[in-house]
């Protein structure tokens, strides 16, 4: 499965003397029953690109290496790839660099084949940016279950059951015995909540989830929340009323609903901040050329890019500068080479620099900036 670390490693691949072939293929078993079903669109992609290769200004050696990469990808899909529940696959090949990376994906992707100077990582960056990692905890006074929800899938990581004495009524002088029993029960419940909180904290340390969903009986939630480690308090996205024996698919459905709501809120917040920060002395830039210059200067904290938007451009093979239409690099005066999409290069460069990539749906506010903008680390 693709991770942020793998994406950053892939985006860091940079040798402008070599061409890299990137393949995205939809292998969703709901639509493609047999291997042959998804090999057919792959053959169409391969046929199209082999025709393009004849028109590109490549040396004989470059053309041969790309042809070998295409052949290797075709053979992999035809003979080696095992779906095993994957609904999409991303693969990257560059024989000249010794690059061969394959990532089964839990969701469908659009069929794409790209040959360029950099790995085509935009679909992966958008996938990770729009699918946050959630930890959903459902707890009562004696039981707890801990789930991870990511990329539309759910996995149960922990089931915790502690012995907690049942509440009883007891006689005794001034209710002393009853109070003693209640105190004994409360101590067991406290130890249970602390154990669950420690499990969640350790899970966060290992998986670095983005948000926490707390579920449980209404009276349980505030009791358990007081036992959570303080660094998790800001990650609580929502509290839901649920019992620990809730069906797995219901946990997934409710978690995905929370994710969708948070995504809408976050999109409104981030685009709204960009609109407020652009111009004057604000920490924002809008427009393709200004945003690319901010990337070149290492200023970008969050890159906002309109989904599905693409723009051909030019790349400097000497220093890595890229631009929509300049003929010459303004930094080293080297003639620029044509590239398929500067939006894709911007996404890859942002990932390489450790900046956040935030895809924005069409019609949600980036149109005045030509589909590209950025929130800055510094002016």
């Amino acid at each position: 499965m693709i991770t942020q670390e793998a994406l950053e490693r892939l985006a860091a691949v940079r040798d402008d003397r070599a061409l890299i072939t990137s393949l995205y293929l939809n292998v969703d078993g709901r639509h493609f029953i047999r291997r042959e079903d998804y090999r057919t669109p792959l053959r169409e992609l391969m046929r199209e690109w082999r025709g393009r290769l004849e028109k590109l200004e490549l040396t004989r050696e470059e053309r041969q290496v790309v042809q070998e990469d295409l052949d290797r990808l075709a053979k992999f899909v035809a003979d080696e790839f095992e779906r095993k529940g994957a609904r999409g696959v991303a693969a990257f090949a560059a024989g000249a660099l010794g690059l061969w990376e394959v990532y089964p994906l839990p969701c469908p992707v659009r069929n794409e084949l790209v040959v360029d100077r950099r790995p085509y990582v935009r679909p992966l960056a958008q996938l990770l940016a729009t699918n946050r990692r959630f930890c959903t905890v459902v707890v009562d006074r004696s039981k707890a279950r801990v789930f991870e929800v990511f990329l539309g899938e759910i996995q149960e990581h922990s089931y915790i059951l502690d012995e907690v004495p049942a509440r009883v009524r007891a006689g005794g002088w001034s209710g002393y015995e009853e109070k003693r029993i209640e105190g004994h029960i409360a101590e067991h419940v406290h130890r249970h909540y602390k154990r669950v909180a420690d499990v969640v904290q350790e899970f966060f340390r290992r998986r670095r989830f983005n948000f926490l969903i707390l579920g449980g009986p209404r009276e349980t939630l505030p009791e358990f929340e007081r036992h959570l480690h303080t660094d998790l308090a800001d990650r609580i996205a929502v509290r839901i009323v649920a019992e620990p024996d809730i069906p797995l698919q219901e946990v997934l459905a409710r978690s995905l609903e929370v994710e969708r709501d948070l995504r809408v809120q976050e999109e409104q917040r981030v685009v709204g901040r960009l609109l407020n920060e652009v111009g004057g002395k604000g920490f924002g830039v809008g427009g393709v050329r200004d945003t690319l210059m901010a990337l070149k200067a290492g200023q970008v904290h969050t890159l906002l890019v309109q989904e599905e938007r693409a723009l051909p451009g030019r790349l400097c093979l000497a220093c890595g500068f890229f631009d929509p239409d300049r003929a010459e690099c303004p930094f080293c005066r080297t003639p620029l080479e044509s590239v398929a999409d500067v939006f894709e290069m911007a996404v890859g460069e942002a990932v390489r620099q450790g900046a956040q990539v935030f895809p924005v749906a069409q019609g949600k506010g980036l149109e005045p900036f030509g589909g590209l903008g950025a929130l800055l680390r510094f002016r």
Side-chain angles (χ1 to χ4, degrees), residues 319-368:
C319 72
F321 170 77
F322 50 96
D323 184 83
D325 51 20
R326 292 181 198 260
E328 183 181 82
C329 177
F331 298 97
C332 59
R333 301 304 174 189
T334 302
L336 302 188
E337 179 176 306
S338 296
V339 290
D341 182 14
V342 292
F343 278 49
E344 153 61 19
M345 300 198 71
V347 170
E349 182 62 19
V351 172
R352 191 184 69 79
Q353 293 182 14
Q356 296 179 17
V357 175
F358 195 90
V360 178
Q362 186 174 356
K364 295 298 184 180
L366 283 188
E367 285 75 15

Side-chain angles (χ1 to χ4, degrees), residues 17-71:
R17 296 168 298 176
L19 288 165
I20 299 169
T21 303
S22 306
L23 170 67
Y24 291 83
L25 192 64
N26 183 2
V27 297
D28 191 349
R30 294 177 299 181
H31 305 290
F32 304 105
I33 307 302
R34 304 166 303 157
R35 185 189 296 266
E36 181 63 27
D37 294 338
Y38 54 80
R39 284 173 58 187
T40 299
L42 175 62
R43 281 195 292 268
E44 294 174 358
L45 289 174
M46 292 286 180
R47 188 181 305 114
E48 177 187 350
W49 259 102
R50 288 188 173 107
R52 288 191 197 179
L53 282 177
E54 299 303 318
K55 301 176 183 178
L56 294 180
E57 295 180 3
L58 303 177
T59 66
R60 180 178 178 181
E61 290 75 15
E62 285 178 323
R63 187 171 283 107
Q64 178 64 30
V65 169
V66 172
Q67 185 62 62
E68 291 172 358
D69 291 337
L70 290 172
D71 291 342

Side-chain angles (χ1 to χ4, degrees), residues 14-19 62 96-97 117 317:
R14 181 171 176 173
D15 187 334
D16 291 324
R17 296 168 298 176
L19 288 165
E62 285 178 323
L97 303 178
R117 297 290 177 183
L317 298 184

Side-chain angles (χ1 to χ4, degrees), residues 167-211:
R167 286 191 173 99
V168 297
R169 296 193 61 82
W173 182 69
S174 298
Y176 172 79
E177 183 65 14
E178 186 170 335
K179 292 179 181 178
R180 187 188 68 79
I181 293 173
E182 285 296 328
H184 179 66
I185 294 172
E187 178 60 26
H188 277 76
V189 172
H190 163 72
R191 288 202 295 266
H192 168 65
Y193 286 155
K194 185 177 185 305
R195 181 184 173 198
V196 176
D198 289 343
V199 167
V200 175
Q201 179 67 20
E202 173 61 19
F203 185 54
F204 174 66
R205 186 190 67 79
R206 289 187 292 110
R207 304 296 288 178
R208 306 306 294 182
F209 53 81
N210 302 99
F211 295 105

Side-chain angles (χ1 to χ4, degrees), residues 71-91:
D71 291 342
R72 184 178 184 187
L73 287 166
K75 184 178 187 304
F76 166 75
V77 173
D79 302 329
E80 303 170 32
F81 175 64
E82 297 292 338
R83 187 159 48 187
K84 294 181 179 179
R87 299 170 64 193
V89 62

Side-chain angles (χ1 to χ4, degrees), residues 4-15:
Q4 185 65 34
E5 293 75 20
L7 175 63
E8 291 174 4
R9 185 176 66 250
L10 193 59
V13 175
R14 181 171 176 173
D15 187 334

